Amino acid sequence: MSDRVSPGNRPTGSHPLVAHVLGARPNFVKAAPVINALADGAIGTGQVVIHTGQHYDERMSEIFFRDLGLPEPDVNLEVGSGSHAQQTAALMIGLEREFTERSPALVIVYGDVNSTIAAALVAAKLHIPVAHVEAGLRSFDMTMPEEVNRRLTDQLSDLCFVTSPEAIGHLAAEGVPVERTHFVGNPMIDTLLANLAAFDTEAVRARYGLPDRYVLATMHRPANVDSPAVAGELVNRLHEIADMTDVVIPLHPRGRAVLLAAGLDDHPGLHVLDPLGYIDFIATVRGAAAVVTDSGGLQEETTILGVPCLTVRPNTERPITITHGTNQLVTFDELVPAARKALGQAAGGPAAGDRTPPLWDGQAGPRIAEVITRYLG
Ligand code: UD1
């Protein structure tokens, strides 16, 4: 596990201040290497971590800070849950107050959650430059709230940090000036590689009573879990997979009630767990025979771990995980046959070196820190 950033890296009056805005689980994983690399940097950039409180349960938030060695947030806005408008409005009001009081030289936002767009919008209106980590990914599906957040955040960003080459073209096609775009690699993979030794599959098997062979499933997209009818369909398919091999599902709070009401755990081979922390979760993924998911980040993590990944979505903003990795998009109808096939294949191993997506090498954080240092210098 990474070391915590020491208080010596807290902002001082003489250094430009960068504000990291973090709200939801995937933000924490992406920010850790950037915060660490900036803390190591030569110019001694001051850093503040603003936790918006979009995710607030201990298992959705604090456990990630501990696992990743992230510094304690300087402030937690505790915005909590709500409709998109309610949540985004609360985020904007809290962030405007923080940015006004702290006057950061740069606001760094991560990924595609509501905290990301809220921070970019507030910073832009206050004329504070914005850096977007994981810019340019596109599903071209505007029914996903994340796609709306991505597109708008990129329009507002002065530095667009790109994880995958096709994102450069997406940004150019939307008129983002090329000098704003920096292809730096994938900080989520920095975190994965930095913690490889900590992912102990035997330990998690023992701790959670998992069988030797299992499929790991995660489901939380509104399109899959909000409607009882759709969730019921999905539960039937997961039961069919559990007829073949046990299924382990750490359950995100979104959809928990709907999935359980649809009978998710009414199958002896289906193991419902509470949400897991980062280290235990990736250890569980590493030990899985296959993964079934609708997550964005997990498509990338399975690519590096070499675990077959079936993504239950009609599209992905991460096509490189299909061309270079282990990912496959499946409909509900395709899910069970695809799982059968994946389970029949030999166990995976790490992605072959020449298939690893370019710059997914554990050095994205230092590359981002270098660009930011130059920019602020
Ligand atoms: C958010 C992101 C999504 C990301 C996901 C990662 C948006 C629009 N969506 O989705 O892109 O993939 O995080 O996990 O920003 N809840 C709790 N405890 C918590 C957090 C949430 O119980 O700590 C429940 C609440 O009922 C809440 C619901 O989950 O209403 C949804 O939370 P929210 O943050 O709005 O969206 P996510 O589905 O988590």
Side-chain angles (χ1 to χ4, degrees):
M1 283 175 238
S2 342
D3 292 334
R4 275 181 178 258
V5 175
S6 74
N9 295 311
R10 292 295 189 194
T12 65
S14 55
H15 297 309
L17 182 66
V18 302
H20 304 266
V21 177
L22 315 183
R25 284 193 304 196
N27 294 163
F28 312 141
V29 182
K30 290 161 197 169
V34 180
I35 293 172
N36 284 334
L38 281 170
D40 292 343
I43 68 159
T45 312
Q47 307 193 62
V48 284
V49 173
I50 301 176
H51 190 326
T52 66
Q54 177 175 345
H55 283 177
Y56 44 88
D57 288 346
E58 200 269 338
R59 296 187 147 270
M60 301 290 286
S61 177
E62 279 103 317
I63 194 168
F64 281 77
F65 277 73
R66 282 201 302 278
D67 276 6
L68 299 169
L70 279 164
E72 287 289 323
D74 293 82
V75 59
N76 189 324
L77 304 180
E78 297 181 355
V79 297
S81 306
S83 71
H84 282 278
Q86 284 167 338
Q87 189 178 57
T88 309
L91 285 160
M92 290 180 69
I93 291 166
L95 288 166
E96 186 177 58
R97 188 182 60 237
E98 291 300 324
F99 295 167
T100 305
E101 277 174 14
R102 296 172 189 272
S103 298
L106 182 72
V107 167
I108 309 181
V109 300
Y110 297 85
D112 54 18
V113 303
N114 284 348
S115 298
T116 311
I117 176 61
L121 197 48
V122 170
K125 295 276 180 80
L126 292 172
H127 307 156
I128 300 169
V130 176
H132 183 202
V133 173
E134 201 183 81
L137 297 185
R138 295 291 178 266
S139 66
F140 300 99
D141 177 356
M142 288 294 274
T143 67
M144 291 177 71
E146 293 83 0
E147 183 73 357
V148 178
N149 294 344
R150 286 181 203 115
R151 282 178 180 265
L152 299 180
T153 300
D154 286 337
Q155 286 299 323
L156 298 169
S157 295
D158 302 84
L159 297 173
C160 290
F161 292 116
V162 165
T163 57
S164 185
E166 82 285 353
I168 301 169
H170 297 155
L171 292 171
E174 291 168 19
V176 174
V178 67
E179 61 275 13
R180 291 191 189 169
T181 300
H182 303 270
F183 177 33
V184 290
N186 191 334
M188 191 167 235
I189 300 306
D190 285 22
T191 299
L192 183 88
L193 297 176
N195 289 287
L196 265 186
F199 304 135
D200 184 342
T201 57
E202 287 315 314
V204 286
R205 267 200 190 99
R207 191 169 314 135
Y208 300 101
L210 306 183
D212 283 348
R213 187 171 160 79
Y214 59 88
V215 170
L216 187 278
T218 77
M219 286 294 149
H220 75 282
R221 294 268 161 219
N224 284 335
V225 304
D226 281 5
S227 137
V230 175
E233 261 298 282
L234 189 56
V235 164
N236 290 341
R237 308 300 161 117
L238 291 173
H239 285 178
E240 283 184 61
I241 296 175
D243 290 339
M244 296 186 270
T245 304
D246 285 42
V247 175
V248 175
I249 178 159
L251 212 46
H252 187 290
R254 177 179 208 116
R256 185 181 180 91
V258 173
L259 287 167
L260 291 177
L264 180 67
D265 58 353
D266 296 346
H267 188 295
L270 211 140
H271 309 256
V272 175
L273 305 180
D274 285 333
L276 298 175
Y278 178 74
I279 298 293
D280 279 3
F281 179 66
I282 301 294
T284 311
V285 172
R286 195 183 201 179
V291 162
V292 173
T293 192
D294 57 10
S295 151
L298 196 43
Q299 299 171 51
E300 299 183 340
E301 289 155 338
T302 49
T303 282
I304 296 302
L305 293 170
V307 177
C309 180
L310 306 176
T311 299
V312 190
R313 285 178 44 188
N315 50 55
T316 178
E317 60 291 331
R318 292 165 164 88
I320 203 160
T321 60
I322 298 174
T323 55
H324 289 59
T326 54
N327 190 25
Q328 185 186 343
L329 297 181
V330 291
T331 62
F332 280 16
D333 284 345
E334 289 162 349
L335 175 57
V336 177
R340 185 173 295 113
K341 192 164 166 216
L343 290 169
Q345 283 163 3
D354 59 347
R355 298 255 300 166
T356 303
L359 301 190
W360 288 21
D361 58 359
Q363 295 303 312
R367 289 188 195 101
I368 291 169
E370 199 190 315
V371 174
I372 288 176
T373 304
R374 242 189 356 253
Y375 180 81
L376 292 175

